[in-house]
Amino acid sequence: MIEFKNVHKWFKDLHVINGVNLNVSQGEVVVVCGPSGSGKSTLIRTVNQLEKIQQGEICVDGINVADPKADLNRVRTEVGFVFQHFNLYPHLTVLENIILSPMKVKKQSRAQAEAKAQELLAKVGLAHKCDAYPQQLSGGQQQRVAIARGLAMEPRVMLFDEPTSALDPEMIGEVLKVMKDLALSGMTMMVVTHEMGFAREVADRVVFIDHGEIVEEAAPEEFFLHPQHERAQQFLNQLL
Ligand code: ADP
Ligand code: MG
């Protein structure tokens, strides 16, 4: 479903993604971890072209998204993205946040988009908050709205960039629960997170990145119990 082939990216002379090869199959959940500054955000942002690459290929469901001629609207319809800082529109209600792109990009009618939004809000446990504004919600609630907003486009793939790292500890669980349900429903997911409990329980594979390179790639229990590379061992020791 997602295929990185020898992907390279530079910010000026800083080589931030260095020859990444990675395949994510349909329905698979891949957790990406690694030290701060290792290139995790940049890597997943290349999938929906929030970052351009200079070399290599990235295919999502058969579309080469890195091709300058790729249809960005199509790419962003297929690939949902959830940011660390929610990025909801503050001047729009929860419902309006969710229906905006389906109406604009997918040309859905308001009634159609609202029906889908209500269904998704129920799924993330926030049906009663449809008329609230983002600042009236807790961080955990805002992040659940952001996930519902991503799902409203009916993407083939969902990407998460440290979705719980801006949250107070007591709100992390409710967001991880929504993500776990989504994984169980068969969604293909790439998740940058340091929530190792989530990785152990939900991920099919863990990918460890350092200096823009995939250093280790393993099933969660293997990665956590028997990390092969020194850099992965050091990283895991720091999390303890
Ligand atoms: P991570 O998410 O693993 O912390 P990032 O992908 O954000 O890492 O960053 C990887 C490297 O690229 C870091 O050295 C960072 O400083 C640099 N970087 C990220 N975004 C930019 C940018 N827009 N311009 C220049 N350098 C950047
Ligand atoms: Mg990051």
Side-chain angles (χ1 to χ4, degrees), residues 24-42:
V24 182
S25 307
Q26 181 162 5
E28 202 180 11
V29 177
V30 171
V31 158
V32 178
C33 64
S36 179
S38 57
K40 305 178 299 293
S41 294
T42 306

Side-chain angles (χ1 to χ4, degrees), residues 218-229:
E221 60 273 24
E222 257 172 65
F223 178 73
F224 291 111
L225 294 177
H226 309 292
Q228 299 295 306
H229 290 77

Side-chain angles (χ1 to χ4, degrees), residues 59-234:
C59 294
V60 177
D61 199 13
I63 315 172
N64 180 4
V65 296
D67 182 341
K69 292 185 299 258
D71 176 354
L72 271 188
N73 268 345
R74 164 115 192 260
V75 171
R76 290 183 187 158
T77 304
E78 304 244 340
V79 182
F81 201 103
V82 174
F83 299 86
Q84 182 178 353
H85 292 286
F86 333 136
N87 294 10
L88 297 173
Y89 298 108
H91 59 290
L92 298 180
T93 66
V94 163
L95 191 77
E96 289 164 345
N97 263 281
I98 297 174
I99 66 175
L100 189 67
S101 288
M103 287 176 63
K104 263 196 167 162
V105 180
K106 292 189 97 176
K107 312 290 177 207
Q108 289 182 2
S109 70
R110 176 173 286 270
Q112 194 183 2
E114 282 188 359
K116 178 79 190 171
Q118 297 285 8
E119 182 193 310
L120 288 167
L121 279 172
K123 220 174 243 176
V124 301
L126 291 171
H128 57 300
K129 294 292 185 187
C130 65
D131 295 323
Y133 285 87
Q135 69 271 20
Q136 297 171 319
L137 303 180
S138 71
Q141 291 172 330
Q142 288 186 57
Q143 193 59 300
R144 285 186 280 150
V145 171
I147 294 170
R149 180 177 62 174
L151 293 173
M153 294 294 275
E154 301 183 306
R156 306 292 314 269
V157 167
M158 283 288 281
L159 310 175
F160 295 83
D161 190 0
E162 302 206 31
T164 59
S165 57
L167 298 176
D168 291 334
E170 71 270 23
M171 293 168 189
I172 292 175
E174 68 197 52
V175 171
L176 293 178
K177 166 80 169 54
V178 166
M179 291 169 62
K180 183 179 168 186
D181 290 346
L182 187 59
L184 290 174
S185 80
M187 180 61 78
T188 307
M189 295 164 57
M190 262 182 96
V191 183
V192 176
T193 185
H194 292 158
E195 289 295 332
M196 293 302 142
F198 175 84
R200 279 182 192 213
E201 203 184 338
V202 182
D204 296 298
R205 233 175 338 141
V206 176
V207 169
F208 173 76
I209 300 190
D210 198 14
H211 299 294
E213 288 177 288
I214 295 184
V215 174
E216 191 154 335
E217 196 179 332
E221 60 273 24
E222 257 172 65
F223 178 73
F224 291 111
L225 294 177
H226 309 292
Q228 299 295 306
H229 290 77
E230 199 189 331
R231 285 186 276 174
Q233 291 162 3
Q234 278 171 2

